[in-house]
Every structure is written in C-alpha cells, then in structure tokens.
Amino acid sequence: MQPEPSKKYTYADYLSLDETERWEIIDGVPYMQATPSRIHQEFSGELFRQFANYLKDKPCKVYPAPFTVKLSESTIVEPDITIVCDENKLNDIGCMGSPDMVIEILSPSSRKKDNVYKLNKYEQAGVKEYWIVDPEEKYVTVYKLDEKVKYGRPCSYTEKDKIPTIFNGLKISLSGLQTINEK
C-alpha cells in the first residue's frame, strides 16, 4: 500500500491491508511499522513473560505485538504489549476499545510517535496505564490516569527499580536485561 497524502484512513482500510505488512493508523494517517531490533524483542519478551506469569489464571489477558487495538474508527494501533481485563472488548482481531494497560518499547523510528501521538491517543481513550520503555537508556516512563481521567505526572524507573503496576502486588523488574547493550 502506498498511502495517499490527502486520504484519511479508517478501520475498514486497516482491515484491507496486506497481512504481511504491519501498519498503524493514527487520526487517519497510516504509519508503517518497522521490524523491531533484537534488543527491542528481548525487552518485549521479558516484560511479556513477567506480566503473563502474574496474570495466569486471572481475568486480565496479556498480548504481545502484533495485536490490533482499535481506539476509534480513525486510530488503530499495535502496541508492543497490551493488557485487557474486559473480555467484552476482545474479538478475533484484537481489542475493540481501550485496553487497561499498554507498553510501547521505543525504536529510533517510533520515538516521536510513542512519546507524543500515542501518548495523547491512549490518554484520550482512557488507557489506565501507559509505559514507554527505552531499551537503550534502560528506563521506563509510566503514565497513569488520575481521577480527572488525565495522565498525571509521569514516573520514571531504571533497571535498578521494581516498577509498580495497576495490578495489586505486581512489580516488574528490568534487572535481567541490564547487560544487553554491554557487548
């Protein structure tokens, strides 16, 4: 698909895309997803493992990318990790509506999209917790919805911290990943 500059894309367009390519649509603008790096995938795999182990036999489900999240007719994203606690939002394609938690792992090509566009879209959609993981700097920025349904001041964590989550008693560690860039 070659996007037409003047066209606004929708969920119907997303469903018609070639399944061998990964796309996101934000406010009607299509963005092709780059192939993630090895380090990106190691961070994604470790975070997924920790969440999946905790959520086993619980009502919330965790999904790794590619996993479709339809926030609106003109915003369809594929977060690196998605956690959904309301099974009524799930269908065979993915999550229709706001997930409870989303994790995006930065890549050079996704930095602005994850830190600006998606941050705003996740907040507007009511995603309770949004993590932006920087694998190069080994830190996580966590945004949580406050009582005004806005993201409050973000908290930042390093590989030395145990990161609290919206799930009672679950704290996530990046410590097993601290040597990835030291080769």
Side-chain angles (χ1 to χ4, degrees):
M1 174 176 114
Q2 288 299 320
E4 297 173 33
S6 60
K7 180 179 178 183
K8 289 291 184 187
Y9 289 78
T10 67
Y11 182 63
D13 295 316
Y14 176 84
L15 293 175
S16 70
L17 296 173
D18 181 349
E19 290 183 17
T20 63
E21 296 177 340
R22 290 185 53 212
W23 288 87
E24 293 183 311
I25 299 173
I26 300 174
D27 289 332
V29 177
Y31 296 88
M32 186 172 216
Q33 298 281 79
T35 301
S37 70
R38 176 187 62 82
I39 292 169
H40 178 285
Q41 292 301 84
E42 287 187 29
F43 269 75
S44 181
E46 177 58 21
L47 290 169
F48 177 82
R49 184 191 64 75
Q50 289 183 52
F51 278 101
N53 286 343
Y54 176 81
L55 294 172
K56 184 177 177 169
D57 301 323
K58 292 183 175 64
C60 299
K61 302 296 178 203
V62 59
Y63 300 94
F67 182 77
T68 300
V69 174
K70 178 186 172 193
L71 297 175
S72 71
E73 282 302 316
S74 62
T75 299
I76 303 91
V77 293
E78 291 187 357
D80 291 307
I81 298 174
T82 305
I83 300 174
V84 182
C85 298
D86 180 354
E87 69 180 36
N88 293 319
K89 292 181 179 180
L90 298 171
N91 67 17
D92 288 344
I93 295 169
C95 179
M96 302 297 114
S98 175
D100 291 85
M101 184 173 178
V102 168
I103 298 173
E104 295 286 4
I105 300 166
L106 296 177
S107 299
S109 65
S110 74
R111 197 167 283 281
K112 181 177 181 181
K113 186 171 55 163
D114 293 340
N115 278 302
V116 179
Y117 305 138
K118 287 186 174 182
L119 170 67
N120 292 325
K121 289 298 161 188
Y122 292 146
E123 180 182 53
Q124 291 168 6
V127 174
K128 294 175 190 168
E129 189 163 318
Y130 175 41
W131 288 21
I132 300 174
V133 179
D134 188 327
E136 289 179 24
E137 299 297 327
K138 298 180 213 143
Y139 73 85
V140 177
T141 304
V142 176
Y143 295 87
K144 291 185 181 184
L145 285 181
D146 62 19
E147 62 279 348
K148 298 174 194 161
V149 195
K150 293 283 183 194
Y151 286 140
R153 182 177 173 192
C155 294
S156 295
Y157 301 92
T158 70
E159 77 272 9
K160 296 177 183 168
D161 298 314
K162 299 277 189 202
I163 306 167
T165 70
I166 58 173
F167 303 105
N168 218 4
L170 175 62
K171 293 188 177 186
I172 299 294
S173 174
L174 298 180
S175 63
L177 295 164
Q178 62 186 323
T179 60
I180 288 177
N181 283 334
E182 296 173 7
K183 293 180 181 177

